Amino acid sequence: MSVIDRLADLRARVRGAVTTPDDPGWDDARQAWNLAVDQHPSVVVEAADADDIAATVRFARENGLQVAVQGTGHGAAARGGDLEGAVLLRTSSMRGVTVDPERRVARVQAGAQWGDVARATAPHGLVALHGSSHDVGVVGYTLGGGLGWLARKHGLASSHVTALDVIVPSGQRVEVTDSSCPQLFWAMRGGGGSFGIVVEMEFALFPLREVYAGALLWPAERAGEVLRRWRDVAERFPDDVTSIGRLVHFPPFPTVPEPLRGRRMVLVEAASLLGEEETAALLQPLRDLGPEMDTFTTSPAEVLLSLHGDPPEPVPGMGGGTMLAELPDAAIDAVLELAGPESGSPLLGIEFRHLGGALGRTPEGAGALSSLQGRFAAYMVGMVTGPEAAAAIERHIAITQDGLAPWSTGGAYLNFTEAPTDAGNAFGTTTVRRLRDIAEAIDPDRVMRPNHQVRAY
Ligand SMILES: Cc1cc2nc3c(=O)[nH]c(=O)nc-3n(C[C@H](O)[C@H](O)[C@H](O)COP(=O)(O)OP(=O)(O)OC[C@H]3O[C@@H](n4cnc5c(N)ncnc54)[C@H](O)[C@@H]3O)c2cc1C
């Protein structure tokens, strides 16, 4: 069959749009949320429904192609732009969310974003274990673990998945639960996108109408004393409080509030389930350092999707992470030297997410990723404005990661890893062996092209 015939065949099989390099909408169709990733697949299919997903998988198999699934493209950097021989299967039109307030679960379609979920759960006084951004995809985030504002209380989002509706690489549709398909159910809770395409995901919700949350901000020159004090108080926080210490170079954009525009600041952000009075006592040692701004207040729980100030729209970013066993004074000094206000670093931000609490415990019946080792997850990011900036950011991420290496656990959290990496770093030897066996059994022909592979590249 000629290429033209094969494409006509694909178009006849799916309801959603099929776009090829010769079509006028090609650049829009292949664009990831992360604008720095220049994706070049063989063809793009925008799935309209589960049948489209199954038809695309069968088409890919029959034509010796792979399938790269994308909900939003927040995680596109790890897979890179070279998608030769792959169908880019986009699920961004499938954003349905249903909430069962009695069972306290939500069921979402493949392309749902966390903002969609929050809008559906808030009227019931319920929240999901989303992360810091409204437009990150529920499925990609959760397959990778999912580290959010309630993580020290409830753990990773992947530990609270209750059922998955999956098109496996053979093209069959399978309901994946603990009882119907225990191996896949284990693998897909934190093990990533190597095992099949999620059509729908069901997960637990938690009662929460209001939260005491906000940020304390100081000029970055105060970073050393602020980060030290935050580390000390954070280690005493109960599991009800999840916090982040970070250095931010706010860009000089009109969208950034005027008092912060273009400035380098050090921030402590936190979300607390304890209410204002109790949390204020925990935060007092930080307030004693006289922050220039204090935004803490009791707000509807939806505030957790904007608390971190993530970009409201797609941006060209490059980031990298490091898991830290501890954050001693020497590590803070090293970060300030390499990425602090005097360093000339092109990074826009470096943050330390406080781990521990439920994140350090393995719940019963957990999936492939059920806890995170270490006390802090570091993540650093820069904005790619061109090839020179990209090279400088890549270099500085590597330099900063090297500078933190003495305190690293040696592990990786794949949601914060934006380059190909050995899955053994993220899961440990026994888990990665089991994940590889499951991937080999379910996808022997390597139809799936996830952002992070569990098998060797
Ligand atoms: C601004 C920003 C904020 C973030 N905040 C957090 C945070 O607070 N906590 C956190 O843990 N992570 C966070 N992340 C990381 C984020 O969770 C990962 O990048 C995640 O992979 C994004 O999922 P996505 O579906 O949006 O992205 P995509 O790039 O669309 O998907 C990522 C990968 O998930 C898999 N996948 C997606 N959909 C499916 C499907 N239907 N079936 C099978 N596999 C699928 C594929 O392998 C795909 O390559 C953030 C990232 C960004 C850019």
Side-chain angles (χ1 to χ4, degrees), residues 3-4 7-8 10-11 16-30 41-46:
V3 174
I4 291 174
L7 287 172
L10 177 59
R11 286 195 165 104
V18 174
T19 314
T20 73
D22 297 329
D23 292 323
W26 176 241
D27 285 338
D28 284 343
R30 67 188 180 86
S42 295
V43 58
V44 180
V45 176
E46 179 72 52

Side-chain angles (χ1 to χ4, degrees), residues 71-75 110 112-114 117 128-151 155-161 188-193 198 201 203 304-305 310 353 359 369 372 413-416 451:
T72 67
H74 278 79
Q113 301 175 6
W114 282 120
V117 175
L129 298 183
H130 59 70
S132 53
S133 273
H134 71 103
D135 59 357
V136 162
V138 175
V139 173
Y141 167 95
T142 310
L143 289 176
L147 177 61
W149 277 118
L150 307 181
L156 292 170
S158 56
S159 296
H160 298 278
V161 172
M188 295 185 81
R189 287 177 300 142
V198 176
M201 180 180 270
F203 49 87
L304 297 178
L305 280 173
D310 281 345
R353 295 198 183 196
L359 288 165
L369 186 72
L372 292 178
Y413 172 49
L414 293 184
N415 275 3
F416 285 180
N451 59 348

Side-chain angles (χ1 to χ4, degrees), residues 299-446:
S299 310
E302 297 101 289
V303 77
L304 297 178
L305 280 173
S306 53
L307 178 60
H308 199 48
D310 281 345
E313 287 176 348
V315 289
M318 185 186 287
T322 297
M323 302 301 280
L324 298 175
E326 49 178 346
L327 188 63
D329 289 356
I332 293 172
D333 291 343
V335 163
L336 293 180
E337 200 183 316
L338 296 168
E342 307 297 327
S343 66
S345 167
L347 299 182
L348 279 188
I350 173 159
E351 67 187 56
F352 301 94
R353 295 198 183 196
H354 184 215
L355 306 178
L359 288 165
R361 301 187 281 268
T362 298
E364 207 177 317
L369 186 72
S370 54
S371 59
L372 292 178
Q373 303 310 309
R375 302 300 295 162
F376 298 90
Y379 177 76
M380 54 209 91
V381 68
M383 191 175 291
V384 178
T385 49
E388 269 179 37
I393 292 165
E394 192 174 11
R395 201 170 55 248
H396 277 266
I397 288 174
I399 291 170
T400 312
Q401 285 172 327
D402 283 352
L404 285 168
W407 304 283
S408 162
T409 62
Y413 172 49
L414 293 184
N415 275 3
F416 285 180
T417 305
E418 299 194 0
T421 188
D422 182 341
N425 295 336
F427 299 107
T429 321
T430 314
T431 299
V432 89
R433 207 174 288 141
R434 186 171 165 197
L435 286 171
R436 283 176 179 156
D437 287 348
I438 295 170
E440 202 56 42
I442 195 91
D443 188 18
D445 303 322
R446 291 185 177 240

Side-chain angles (χ1 to χ4, degrees), residues 166-453:
V166 180
I167 307 281
V168 293
S170 67
Q172 261 187 310
R173 190 167 179 177
V174 180
E175 183 72 9
V176 176
T177 63
D178 199 14
S179 50
S180 65
C181 225
Q183 293 286 354
L184 266 189
F185 188 62
W186 174 83
M188 295 185 81
R189 287 177 300 142
S194 297
F195 312 95
I197 300 171
V198 176
V199 176
E200 290 186 1
M201 180 180 270
E202 185 192 85
F203 49 87
L205 301 170
F206 298 84
L208 187 70
R209 281 200 189 273
E210 290 189 326
V211 62
Y212 185 68
L216 305 172
L217 297 90
W218 298 257
E221 291 68 32
R222 308 269 318 264
E225 57 177 326
V226 170
L227 289 176
R228 280 176 170 76
R229 180 74 58 92
W230 165 69
R231 177 223 33 221
D232 290 344
V233 298
E235 289 297 59
R236 295 195 294 272
F237 283 165
D239 297 357
D240 306 86
V241 183
T242 298
S243 66
I244 300 178
R246 60 192 297 216
L247 281 168
V248 181
H249 185 183
F250 289 96
F253 299 159
T255 46
V256 175
E258 203 276 324
L260 296 173
R261 210 172 290 158
R263 290 181 70 195
R264 291 178 185 270
M265 306 291 286
V266 58
L267 282 71
V268 171
E269 299 164 346
S272 171
L273 301 170
L274 294 176
E276 177 163 357
E277 205 181 308
E278 226 176 311
T279 312
L282 294 167
L283 293 176
Q284 194 53 49
L286 285 159
R287 287 188 164 131
D288 288 345
L289 292 179
E292 183 180 312
M293 280 177 236
D294 182 339
T295 70
F296 274 88
T297 178
T298 300
S299 310
E302 297 101 289
V303 77
L304 297 178
L305 280 173
S306 53
L307 178 60
H308 199 48
D310 281 345
E313 287 176 348
V315 289
M318 185 186 287
T322 297
M323 302 301 280
L324 298 175
E326 49 178 346
L327 188 63
D329 289 356
I332 293 172
D333 291 343
V335 163
L336 293 180
E337 200 183 316
L338 296 168
E342 307 297 327
S343 66
S345 167
L347 299 182
L348 279 188
I350 173 159
E351 67 187 56
F352 301 94
R353 295 198 183 196
H354 184 215
L355 306 178
L359 288 165
R361 301 187 281 268
T362 298
E364 207 177 317
L369 186 72
S370 54
S371 59
L372 292 178
Q373 303 310 309
R375 302 300 295 162
F376 298 90
Y379 177 76
M380 54 209 91
V381 68
M383 191 175 291
V384 178
T385 49
E388 269 179 37
I393 292 165
E394 192 174 11
R395 201 170 55 248
H396 277 266
I397 288 174
I399 291 170
T400 312
Q401 285 172 327
D402 283 352
L404 285 168
W407 304 283
S408 162
T409 62
Y413 172 49
L414 293 184
N415 275 3
F416 285 180
T417 305
E418 299 194 0
T421 188
D422 182 341
N425 295 336
F427 299 107
T429 321
T430 314
T431 299
V432 89
R433 207 174 288 141
R434 186 171 165 197
L435 286 171
R436 283 176 179 156
D437 287 348
I438 295 170
E440 202 56 42
I442 195 91
D443 188 18
D445 303 322
R446 291 185 177 240
V447 172
M448 297 299 297
R449 190 134 153 200
N451 59 348
H452 289 289
Q453 304 272 0

